[in-house]
């Protein structure tokens, strides 16, 4: 009884002390978020029926878990180690996992003993020719999003690789590599040749791309003749491929696999993709991105892993910090950072322009945003947006922009505008790019740093800086390229640019090609390229400490 009384007194004393401390508590500074400091609420997808490795479709169960996550603060959507099977049927129409409007969300997979991602999202789909695939994962309008420890793949693969076994000048025979499959018929998009011993790209141009196959698809049909053999009757392929070459192709060339849109303060960690139908990943209209350990990597016997970019960064703003990225085997670019240009179609009044654009419209331009118009190669006039109105009709690629300042004299058709609403302070560090049939780092952006990376066997310029006046901007300035190692790259020019490092705006007929300014290229090691550094219309450039080996021309300036 005495012990009980003592315990009750201690409990009462402790309660009084807590009340006193609460009354005397000093408010902490406001973090700026209603959810700051909130405990994370773990939503286990298993509790909603998504069980890895059971062979059943997990789409509906994951959807239920996502719905549950939308009802709590700071949710953690937790996946276990293993394979989550996503049976989508028509990959062109059906998104596997879609998440919208959940702030402070963490999507977390598991890791193996080597700390590699051990949670696999495996898309199963109906094979069809030239699929333009939609997403495995679509995340839209989720601020403060973290994604960790996930791997993405497709079954079956939408690509094939083999060895050329015969070529009579018109018909080419191919033996598929062990583990590779091809449907009864497939179009040979984005076809490349490989060294079968090293699995490195051969130093030749890509055999096919996308538009060329679209224009004449019957000339690029690979027919599966059984027992792991494929035949294609094509003068283009026969004139490029030799017996003994490794060869790869994709069954289509468009699509987007993982898509993050309007996800400000996005964090990606330990993410891997092993094959894609089209682009592996895109971030668009995101402000502030940090990423570590993003891998676009082969897994299996295929030489190639995707018909488009590894990671396309489109219209992103704020601070973007990419570290420890790895990318190998994509047809186009490893990482592509860009916005787009607007072209003067009509001057409506002293403050207002009707503008056209190529491709998709620019979705978010706000009052106060800046645009710049080049009046000559040296002079860019900055304008402030007052109002932006864009047509949503896909056939009417125009917008009307009203500015606060009067338009400069002599502005008219033939001028274009840099859209500074969508540039970022971008850095790429400690990353590796290999065997890419495109550029590795394609930068159409201001204020960029590419430092401490390794580039090996890249078909186009490994590092390519400068806008493409036919579509993708901005024109670019303020770039640091330092302490990179580049080997055996740039055996094919991209537009007017050729060199392991290339800086210059890709021209378009009738448009002003401005100078790129404030470029620092320092302490890079470049070997085995026809041109080490190519500068085309660049001013205020610093070249220091670069080391060249076995390059035809070390530095070419035009």
């Amino acid at each position: 009884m005495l012990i009980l009384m003592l315990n009750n007194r201690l409990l009462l004393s402790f309660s009084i002390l807590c009340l006193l401390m609460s009354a005397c508590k000093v408010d902490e500074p406001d973090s700026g978020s209603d959810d700051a400091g909130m405990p994370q609420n773990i939503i286990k997808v298993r509790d909603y029926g998504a069980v890895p490795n059971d062979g059943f479709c997990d789409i509906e169960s994951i959807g239920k878990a996502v719905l549950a996550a939308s009802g709590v603060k700071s949710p953690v959507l937790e996946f276990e180690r293993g394979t989550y099977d996503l049976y989508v049927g028509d990959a062109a129409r059906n998104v596997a996992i879609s998440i919208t409007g959940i702030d402070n969300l963490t999507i977390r997979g598991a890791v193996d003993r080597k700390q590699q991602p051990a949670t696999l999202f495996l898309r199963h789909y109906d094979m069809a020719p030239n699929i333009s695939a939609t997403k495995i994962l679509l995340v839209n309008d989720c601020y403060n999003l973290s994604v960790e420890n996930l791997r993405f793949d497709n079954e079956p693969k939408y690509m094939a690789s083999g060895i050329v076994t015969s070529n009579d000048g018109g018909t080419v025979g191919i033996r598929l590599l062990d583990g590779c499959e091809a449907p009864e018929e497939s179009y040979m998009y984005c076809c490349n040749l490989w060294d079968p011993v090293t699995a490195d790209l051969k130093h030749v141009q890509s055999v096919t791309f996308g538009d060329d196959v679209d224009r004449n698809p019957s000339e690029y049909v690979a027919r599966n003749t059984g027992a792991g053999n494929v035949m294609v009757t094509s003068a283009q392929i026969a004139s490029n491929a030799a017996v003994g070459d490794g060869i790869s192709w994709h069954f289509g060339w468009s699509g987007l696999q993982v898509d993050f849109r309007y996800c400000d303060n996005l964090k990606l960690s330990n993410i891997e993709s092993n094959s894609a139908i089209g682009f592996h990943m895109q971030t668009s209209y995101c402000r502030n991105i940090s990423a570590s350990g993003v891998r676009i990597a082969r897994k299996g016997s295929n030489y190639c892993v995707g018909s488009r970019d590894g990671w396309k960064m489109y219209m992103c703003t704020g601070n973007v910090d990419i570290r420890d990225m790895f990318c190998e085997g994509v047809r186009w670019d490893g990482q592509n950072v860009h916005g787009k240009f607007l072209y003067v179609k009509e001057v409506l009044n002293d403050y207002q322009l009707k503008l056209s654009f190529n491709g998709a419209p620019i979705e978010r331009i706000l009052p106060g945003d800046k645009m710049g118009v080049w009046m000559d190669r040296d002079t860019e006039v900055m304008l402030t947006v007052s109002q932006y109105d864009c047509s949503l009709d896909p056939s009417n690629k125009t917008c009307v922009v009203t500015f606060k300042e009067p338009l400069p004299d002599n502005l008219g058709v033939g001028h274009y505008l840099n859209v500074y609403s969508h540039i970022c302070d971008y850095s790429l560090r400690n990353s590796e790019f290999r065997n890419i049939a495109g550029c590795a780092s394609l930068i159409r952006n201001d204020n960029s740093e590419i430092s401490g990376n390794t580039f090996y066997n890249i078909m186009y310029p490994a590092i390519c800086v400068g806008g493409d006046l036919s579509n993708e901007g901005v024109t670019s300035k303020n770039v640091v390229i330092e302490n990179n190692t580049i080997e055996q790259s740039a055996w094919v020019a991209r537009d007017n640019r050729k060199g392991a490092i290339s800086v210059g705006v890709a021209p378009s007929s009738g448009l002003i090609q401005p100078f790129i300014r404030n470029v620092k290229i320092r302490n890079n090691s470049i070997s085995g390229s026809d041109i080490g550094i190519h500068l085309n219309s660049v001013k205020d450039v610093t070249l220091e400490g670069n080391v060249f080996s076995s390059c035809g021309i070390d530095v070419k300036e035009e």
Side-chain angles (χ1 to χ4, degrees), residues 43 48 59-69:
I43 306 294
Y48 297 86
I59 292 175
E60 184 178 352
S61 297
I62 292 171
K64 292 178 180 177
V66 170
L67 182 61

Side-chain angles (χ1 to χ4, degrees), residues 222-294:
R223 292 179 171 84
N224 192 329
T225 58
N229 293 301
V230 171
M231 301 288 285
V232 56
T233 300
S234 167
Q236 170 68 8
I237 294 173
S239 64
N240 284 275
V243 172
D245 282 347
I247 189 168
S248 68
W249 70 99
H250 298 79
F251 309 154
W253 74 300
S254 61
L256 174 55
Q257 185 153 287
V258 178
D259 190 8
F260 300 102
R261 297 172 54 84
Y262 293 102
C263 293
D264 290 4
N265 306 321
L266 171 64
K267 296 182 180 179
L268 303 174
S269 177
N270 208 22
I271 306 297
E272 184 169 326
S273 181
N274 301 126
S275 76
I277 307 175
F279 293 86
H280 281 263
M281 184 166 74
Q282 179 171 295
T283 48
S284 53
Y285 299 100
C286 298
R287 180 184 299 275
N288 302 328
I289 301 171
S290 63
S292 176
V294 172

Side-chain angles (χ1 to χ4, degrees), residues 83-99:
T83 299
Y84 290 87
D85 294 294
L86 311 172
Y87 292 90
V88 301
D90 186 349
R93 298 180 59 186
N94 300 323
V95 176
I97 303 170
S98 181
I99 303 173

